[in-house]
Amino acid sequence: ARAAYEQQLPLRNLYYNRCLSRLASIARQTGNAVQALGYYQELERLASTKKELFESWMGQMDIYYQTNQLDTAAAYANKILTKGNPTV
């Protein structure tokens, strides 16, 4: 069993952030803002590329806006405007 788990470790490293992004998107689309926010926050914490970081900020901004937490949404919007260029 140990060998099987060890074989899966590289897959988690390669695909974990992408899975977080997809799960956050699905949770948001199905109306589960709390769950989506958790996924986006974890993606922000683990982001290995600027694109992943940007996506986590966009998702969080959208959720905070939709839940009428406008100060927090504005803070993420500012972060996106000042730091978020996903093409770099």
Side-chain angles (χ1 to χ4, degrees):
R2 181 179 172 188
Y5 286 117
E6 288 175 345
Q7 287 178 339
Q8 297 303 314
L9 286 176
L11 296 177
R12 181 181 187 270
N13 290 338
L14 291 174
Y15 299 109
Y16 189 69
N17 289 0
R18 181 175 234 177
C19 289
L20 285 173
S21 173
R22 296 281 198 263
L23 288 168
S25 178
I26 291 168
R28 198 171 80 200
Q29 290 173 4
T30 58
N32 194 338
V34 172
Q35 188 177 39
L37 187 59
Y39 288 132
Y40 282 126
Q41 289 169 339
E42 187 171 357
L43 181 60
E44 179 180 12
R45 187 176 60 81
L46 299 174
S48 59
T49 66
K50 199 162 189 173
K51 182 178 179 182
E52 290 172 350
L53 197 55
F54 177 81
E55 185 174 345
S56 74
W57 293 339
M58 286 289 293
Q60 289 179 79
M61 179 191 68
D62 186 48
I63 289 168
Y64 285 123
Y65 179 78
Q66 289 180 7
T67 57
N68 207 30
Q69 298 177 54
L70 302 181
D71 289 343
T72 307
Y76 275 98
N78 187 48
K79 192 180 281 194
I80 290 165
L81 290 173
T82 58
K83 300 178 183 177
N85 184 351
T87 59
V88 174

